[in-house]
Amino acid sequence: MTAPRIDTDTLRRLPKAVLHDHLDGGLRPATVVELADAVGHTLPTTDPDALAAWYFEAANSGDLVRYIATFEHTLAVMQSREGLLRTAEEYVLDLAADGVVYGEVRYAPELLVNGGLALPEVVETVQEGLAAGMAKAAAAGTPVRVGTLLCGMRMFDRVREAADLAVAFRDAGVVGFDIAGAEDGFPPADHLAAFEHLRGESVPFTIHAGEAHGLPSIHQALQVCGAQRIGHGVRITDDIVDGKLGRLAGWVRDRRIALEMCPTSNLQTGAATSIAEHPITELKDLGFRVTLNTDNRLVSGTTMTREMSLLVQEAGWTVEDLRTVTVNALKSAFIPFDEREALIEDVVLPGYAAAL
Ligand SMILES: [Zn+2]
């Protein structure tokens, strides 16, 4: 029997949780155009629709390094207090409009200091913008809780500074840490001292691994650095043959390590070949703690609703599957257990029950 198709309006209303979404990859095209004009930054085009299309095309190169290069234009308009406040507030409102009830936003403070803001000022300003967005979303009847992950750029030498910021702002909205940037050639263990510092301070972290590089990257992230979650992790399938799990894949599944999977982004960087064959479906069926994420909404031209819709239409996902990955995300979120449990029991499960 074929399950009935779920329409987009129903998908949009479903409560969602996103663990992997970059602040600087999710700006509104019109905002990029307006802010670029204000600071005199030249864009490929000043038409918002054409700019959105340009991003999607440029990001479709099949190469992680070129994908990351598209961030030049969003970062250029985020160097001022005004730019950060606006993009952070809009970030929250866009998540709320997408039906997201819990989100973790991530960004690298070190990439936002070209306008003269000091690293702590960057973090304070983003938190101010996020708080304004959360207040507006709540007032509009679409409350969303957003926690922040600070990133260090793995190819530069400021990862420890970013880790110190995560420790300093842990009671001011920062809930965890990550390293971002080109994975190939920059293994997680290069930054072992920063991760050991975070572990010593009991600050949770995730690591982008198993996207452009394979099992050794995932192994290092988990077994050397001690990550609690993995960003992407699609290549864990290299350790699964005919449904049989190798040692590392078994560790990931059995220890309930969340995989922050981002289907559209993976197609664009060449980490996966199609939505139908994306490993998220096989891993879900094998009992891994998979979560569904957008990665970069502007750059990948996507939303959580769109990612869900693609899996429903092209990979046979049901509403129950969508509920599973949403609950998975909350189980592995970096906010306190009681808050996660309340979101699951009071918001997510009733929301899905209403839709089923
Ligand atoms: Zn990412």
Side-chain angles (χ1 to χ4, degrees):
M1 193 180 85
T2 310
R5 283 287 158 87
I6 313 149
D7 64 82
T8 305
D9 280 344
T10 303
L11 289 176
R12 189 169 292 115
R13 281 195 303 273
L14 289 174
K16 303 172 188 72
V18 57
L19 299 182
H20 192 125
D21 194 51
H22 294 260
L23 179 65
D24 47 326
L27 276 60
R28 297 176 184 174
T31 298
V32 178
V33 170
E34 278 181 39
L35 291 175
D37 184 51
V39 300
H41 175 77
T42 304
L43 294 171
T45 166
T46 54
D47 175 72
D49 290 338
L51 184 65
W54 177 87
Y55 266 103
F56 193 74
E57 287 296 314
N60 255 340
S61 62
D63 178 85
L64 180 60
V65 174
R66 279 189 61 198
Y67 181 94
I68 289 172
T70 61
F71 286 76
E72 170 197 344
H73 300 296
T74 51
L75 289 168
V77 304
M78 295 171 70
Q79 303 296 331
S80 67
R81 175 174 162 77
E82 181 201 24
L84 283 179
L85 283 175
R86 178 167 171 184
T87 52
E89 179 177 323
E90 289 180 355
Y91 177 93
V92 178
L93 296 175
D94 290 352
L95 255 55
D98 197 14
V100 174
V101 297
Y102 178 73
E104 287 181 7
V105 59
R106 66 182 74 191
Y107 67 96
E110 67 192 84
L111 299 180
L112 300 171
V113 294
N114 295 344
L117 293 173
L119 286 173
E121 289 176 309
V122 169
V123 181
E124 286 164 9
T125 307
V126 170
Q127 289 308 129
E128 196 179 327
L130 294 174
M134 283 189 269
K136 279 191 183 175
T142 53
V144 51
R145 165 92 152 87
V146 176
T148 301
L149 308 184
L150 297 183
C151 300
M153 299 306 290
R154 59 203 304 157
M155 60 288 206
F156 304 141
D157 59 4
R158 305 192 74 175
V159 171
R160 174 56 198 260
E161 280 179 87
D164 286 343
L165 281 173
V167 174
F169 283 89
R170 61 186 309 169
D171 295 321
V174 174
V175 302
F177 186 79
D178 175 36
I179 51 170
E183 182 184 1
D184 238 354
F186 302 95
D190 282 0
H191 304 289
L192 186 56
F195 294 123
E196 286 179 338
H197 177 60
L198 290 165
R199 279 155 58 192
E201 294 289 342
S202 302
V203 171
F205 55 90
T206 177
I207 294 180
H208 277 80
E211 180 186 15
H213 198 69
L215 293 176
S217 182
I218 299 174
H219 184 269
Q220 260 194 21
L222 293 173
Q223 314 299 36
V224 179
C225 300
Q228 286 81 50
R229 304 193 319 230
I230 291 293
H232 297 286
V234 286
R235 295 283 301 276
I236 196 66
T237 51
D238 293 356
D239 199 33
I240 303 172
V241 179
D242 296 331
K244 191 171 179 330
L245 278 55
R247 300 271 185 219
L248 184 61
W251 178 271
V252 171
R253 185 188 65 175
D254 300 340
R255 303 274 77 74
R256 316 309 293 144
I257 310 278
L259 300 173
E260 306 160 359
M261 312 206 87
C262 313
T264 296
S265 168
N266 291 158
L267 296 192
Q268 293 188 297
T269 61
T273 52
S274 71
I275 295 293
E277 292 176 13
H278 190 283
I280 191 170
T281 302
E282 179 192 4
L283 293 168
K284 166 183 69 67
D285 292 343
L286 286 169
F288 282 77
R289 184 168 286 178
V290 294
T291 68
L292 180 63
N293 303 276
T294 39
D295 205 8
N296 297 290
R297 286 170 292 108
L298 167 63
V299 178
S300 288
T302 198
T303 60
M304 284 297 288
T305 300
R306 179 175 174 275
E307 295 296 316
M308 286 183 163
S309 179
L310 287 170
L311 289 172
V312 167
Q313 289 174 16
E314 298 181 30
W317 280 44
T318 64
V319 174
E320 287 87 348
D321 292 327
L322 299 174
R323 180 180 61 193
T324 297
V325 292
T326 305
V327 171
N328 280 351
L330 282 164
K331 283 180 173 174
S332 293
F334 285 157
I335 54 170
F337 173 72
D338 51 349
E339 293 180 44
R340 285 145 52 192
E341 195 176 37
L343 280 166
I344 293 172
E345 297 294 334
D346 303 341
V347 181
V348 171
L349 294 182
Y352 279 83
L356 283 166

